[in-house]
Amino acid sequence: MSENESQGGYVRKVRNDTRKYIQDLLNENERLRVLATSLEQEQTHTVGSLRRQVEQLRQELEQNKSEENRLKMHLAETQEENRRFFEQYAEVEQENSNLANLYVASYRLHGTLDRRQVLEVIQEIVINLIGSEEMGIFEMEEDGSSLRLISSFGIDPEPLKMVPLGRGAIGASAQSGEVAIWSRADSSDGEQGLTACVPLKLDGRVTGVIAIFGLLPQKPDLGPLDHELLDLLATHAATALYCTSLHAKTTSPAGVVA
């Protein structure tokens, strides 16, 4: 074999090897391109899926927050409703307790004909149920011209021994037959801090007055239940005092009530 032929064969071999190498590179490049396209598509799909999941989670989070807020509002409403029920229950319990105490006190009022004991029971009712340790109990004179102080507690009795009918808040209440009540902020009574004047009535006729002055510190003002208690007390007290008067007249040799 000549030298030229040898050189020609080597050149062809190099050319063939080069072509094969280039083809291999092209094939590898195509494989990598296809792989890259596949990976890109897979990445796009994955990113889209993740975005959808994130959006779904965001929506679920918003729904959960909305539900949480709704539950918090419902809980607050429930707690407020429970608080109102508890307050109403406490008020009912207090009312029942007061009515039970009034029943016991009324029983005591009508369970004796001793005038002193009746006056003591009236004072106990005002102190324990109404919440005042300053009071005066007045009885109408037979001629109806004035009120006579027959019992007092926590006040100076001297200025109130005799109260002419129609004079001042006490006399006016006896004359009108109407209950008069003032709040702590109301100074229009003009009679040493009066809180209430309660006429004692028997068959529609005023037989006396219970005057209540200052309330205990823990009691700001008289409430609706106190008004009912005063109305009940007025009727029972009037009856009890009238009975003691009749008893005294029938048992006293002189027929005079002390």
Side-chain angles (χ1 to χ4, degrees), residues 60 82 118 132 165:
E60 290 178 358
N82 288 339
V118 169
S132 172
L165 188 67

Side-chain angles (χ1 to χ4, degrees), residues 36 54 69 75 105 148 168 201 213 223 235-236 245 256:
V54 170
N69 292 333
L75 177 61
R148 178 167 56 93
K201 291 183 179 181
F213 293 82
T235 301
H236 288 287
S245 298
V256 179

Side-chain angles (χ1 to χ4, degrees), residues 3-214:
E3 183 178 355
N4 288 335
E5 288 177 349
S6 297
Q7 289 179 352
Y10 177 75
V11 170
R12 283 193 300 273
K13 182 179 182 304
V14 171
R15 183 182 299 165
N16 291 335
D17 289 344
T18 301
R19 286 176 179 174
K20 183 177 180 302
Y21 179 72
I22 291 173
Q23 187 62 42
D24 290 341
L25 286 177
L26 291 174
N27 293 337
E28 182 65 16
N29 183 64
E30 179 63 19
R31 187 184 70 81
L32 291 175
R33 187 188 67 78
V34 172
L35 180 61
T37 302
S38 176
L39 290 175
E40 184 178 355
Q41 292 175 349
E42 184 177 352
Q43 182 184 26
T44 302
H45 175 74
T46 301
V47 170
S49 177
L50 289 175
R51 285 178 177 174
R52 287 191 296 273
Q53 292 179 15
V54 170
E55 179 63 21
Q56 182 178 358
L57 290 174
R58 185 185 65 80
Q59 292 177 356
E60 290 178 358
L61 180 60
E62 290 180 354
Q63 292 175 355
N64 290 337
K65 286 183 177 180
S66 177
E67 180 67 12
E68 181 183 5
N69 292 333
R70 188 187 68 81
L71 291 175
K72 285 181 177 180
M73 291 179 61
H74 180 68
L75 177 61
E77 292 173 356
T78 302
Q79 290 176 337
E80 178 63 21
E81 187 174 2
N82 288 339
R83 184 189 64 80
R84 290 197 301 269
F85 283 152
F86 179 79
E87 289 180 351
Q88 292 175 359
Y89 174 78
E91 290 176 359
V92 170
E93 282 292 302
Q94 183 63 43
E95 182 175 352
N96 289 337
S97 175
N98 287 343
L99 291 176
N101 291 335
L102 182 61
Y103 173 80
V104 173
S106 300
Y107 179 81
R108 291 180 59 195
L109 278 175
H110 300 296
T112 180
L113 291 173
D114 186 294
R115 189 175 181 82
R116 181 180 57 82
Q117 290 185 18
V118 169
L119 292 173
E120 288 177 355
V121 172
I122 293 174
Q123 289 181 357
E124 290 177 9
I125 293 175
V126 173
I127 293 171
N128 297 325
L129 300 186
I130 304 302
S132 172
E133 294 182 344
E134 301 175 11
M135 75 197 77
I137 304 172
F138 299 83
E139 195 167 51
M140 186 74 73
E141 292 285 40
E142 291 187 2
D143 62 3
S145 63
S146 61
L147 296 163
R148 178 167 56 93
L149 183 66
I150 59 175
S151 179
S152 65
F153 187 89
I155 62 172
D156 180 10
E158 287 300 320
L160 299 172
K161 280 187 174 181
M162 295 294 294
V163 177
L165 188 67
R167 179 176 297 179
I170 298 173
S173 180
Q175 187 175 49
S176 67
E178 300 293 331
V179 176
I181 295 176
W182 298 271
S183 66
R184 287 184 185 271
D186 190 352
S187 60
S188 63
D189 56 89
E191 298 212 11
Q192 303 173 356
L194 269 171
T195 296
C197 287
V198 184
L200 305 180
K201 291 183 179 181
L202 190 63
D203 292 332
R205 180 174 60 89
V206 175
T207 60
V209 171
I210 297 177
I212 299 174
F213 293 82

